[in-house]
Amino acid sequence: MRLVIMPDPTSATQLAASAVMSLLSSRDRPVLGLATGRTMEGVYRDLCKSHDRDEIDFSKTTTFNLDEYVGLSSSDPESYRHYMQDHLFDHVNIAPDATHLPDGTAENLDAECASYEAAIARSGGIDLQLLGIGETGHIGFNEPPSAFDTRTRCVTLTPTTRQQNAAMFGGDPAKVPEHALTMGVGTILEARQLLLLALGDGKAAIVARALEGEVGPEISASAIRLHARCTVILDEASASLLSPETLESAKIHRGS
Ligand code: GLP
């Protein structure tokens, strides 16, 4: 695992966006795994700006998002499909049928999950998977416990996660759907490269647990430590509870 600590959220976000840009310029047909959440908003903002400056081309890119709420349609402003259209897809030259999210309104959710896995496999697999981290230590919506061989499936969200995401639902956790479809930990680990971004002191405790605690299903983000090509980008605030030993192994960029 490569750990990079940047002085502030802006520079950490820019570094994550530049990793996506490198992938897009180095592959003929890049397959990008995307994440949602507030952490990723700046990454997509940076990518849109680069696209406006003609620095990146999405025309040959295929994307797969990590997750989607069950019961929310694409027109629902709280759906992750809506989030992706709003923050990225509507602003860049990506082919609409090359963007994939699990369909949380499918009649048969198990069949939808199986067909999502099949679509990822047909694309040749994900080159670079972006990841955020939730308060429960989840990647995607892999709530504790999530075995490391789990595949795309329907999960029940924990009260902590519904509380964490309530802001997007008018502040009311009861309005956050109880279930979601998510790539499994096993699905995520199959991506050729992982990039986890965490920002702010609110993430410091869970980042320390994920990077220094036991590797296991109670913190699905700890699974990334088993991946051969994984980069974790933090700002100083989210890195503030890491031990001196971990910091020693990190590449630290100091602010001026
Ligand atoms: C949601 C998403 C995760 C994301 C997490 C962090 O629960 N399913 O993929 O990483 O939130 O969100 P935020 O970036 O808003 O802190």
Side-chain angles (χ1 to χ4, degrees), residues 79-97:
S79 71
Y80 283 161
R81 164 57 77 176
H82 195 277
Y83 169 108
M84 288 312 306
Q85 293 299 141
D86 205 31
H87 289 93
L88 185 67
F89 300 154
D90 286 347
H91 311 287
V92 297
N93 64 334
I94 194 159
D97 62 0

Side-chain angles (χ1 to χ4, degrees), residues 194-226:
L194 302 180
L195 196 170
L196 185 140
L197 175 66
L199 305 173
D201 54 9
K203 294 286 168 79
I206 197 62
V207 162
R209 259 189 93 184
L211 301 190
E212 297 175 344
E214 201 181 312
V215 175
E218 286 306 319
I219 303 281
S220 62
S222 67
I224 67 170
R225 286 154 61 192
L226 303 176

Side-chain angles (χ1 to χ4, degrees), residues 36-39 66-67 80 132-134 138 140-141 161 164-165 203:
T36 48
R38 281 150 290 193
T39 310
L66 286 167
D67 44 21
Y80 283 161
I133 183 168
H138 67 215
F141 268 136
T161 293
Q164 186 199 333
N165 290 355
K203 294 286 168 79

Side-chain angles (χ1 to χ4, degrees), residues 96-135:
D97 62 0
T99 67
H100 302 87
L101 283 92
D103 178 0
T105 64
E107 224 160 85
N108 182 337
L109 293 175
D110 289 341
E112 171 60 16
C113 292
S115 100
Y116 202 66
E117 288 276 340
I120 295 173
R122 262 197 318 276
S123 76
I126 293 169
D127 290 312
L128 171 66
Q129 177 66 57
L130 295 183
L131 299 168
I133 183 168
E135 274 175 42

Side-chain angles (χ1 to χ4, degrees), residues 64 85 129 168 172 203 227:
F64 289 94
Q85 293 299 141
Q129 177 66 57
M168 279 76 79
D172 182 0
K203 294 286 168 79
H227 196 283

Side-chain angles (χ1 to χ4, degrees), residues 9-156:
T10 308
S11 54
T13 299
Q14 279 166 353
L15 187 62
S18 68
V20 174
M21 290 176 66
S22 305
L23 172 79
L24 263 54
S25 56
S26 66
R27 296 253 171 181
D28 282 347
R29 301 202 161 272
V31 182
L32 188 55
L34 298 173
T36 48
R38 281 150 290 193
T39 310
M40 293 298 152
E41 289 177 9
V43 176
Y44 299 140
R45 209 174 302 125
D46 285 354
L47 291 176
C48 289
K49 277 192 209 150
S50 300
H51 179 265
D52 288 348
R53 292 194 295 260
D54 278 336
E55 291 164 359
I56 37 171
D57 173 19
F58 282 87
S59 63
K60 298 205 172 101
T61 303
T62 299
T63 64
F64 289 94
N65 265 79
L66 286 167
D67 44 21
E68 179 60 282
Y69 290 110
V70 167
L72 299 194
S73 74
S74 54
S75 59
D76 201 310
E78 280 84 31
S79 71
Y80 283 161
R81 164 57 77 176
H82 195 277
Y83 169 108
M84 288 312 306
Q85 293 299 141
D86 205 31
H87 289 93
L88 185 67
F89 300 154
D90 286 347
H91 311 287
V92 297
N93 64 334
I94 194 159
D97 62 0
T99 67
H100 302 87
L101 283 92
D103 178 0
T105 64
E107 224 160 85
N108 182 337
L109 293 175
D110 289 341
E112 171 60 16
C113 292
S115 100
Y116 202 66
E117 288 276 340
I120 295 173
R122 262 197 318 276
S123 76
I126 293 169
D127 290 312
L128 171 66
Q129 177 66 57
L130 295 183
L131 299 168
I133 183 168
E135 274 175 42
T136 61
H138 67 215
I139 45 176
F141 268 136
N142 288 287
E143 299 282 49
S146 284
F148 288 0
D149 60 357
T150 44
R151 312 301 307 184
T152 303
R153 68 204 187 290
C154 183
V155 293
T156 303

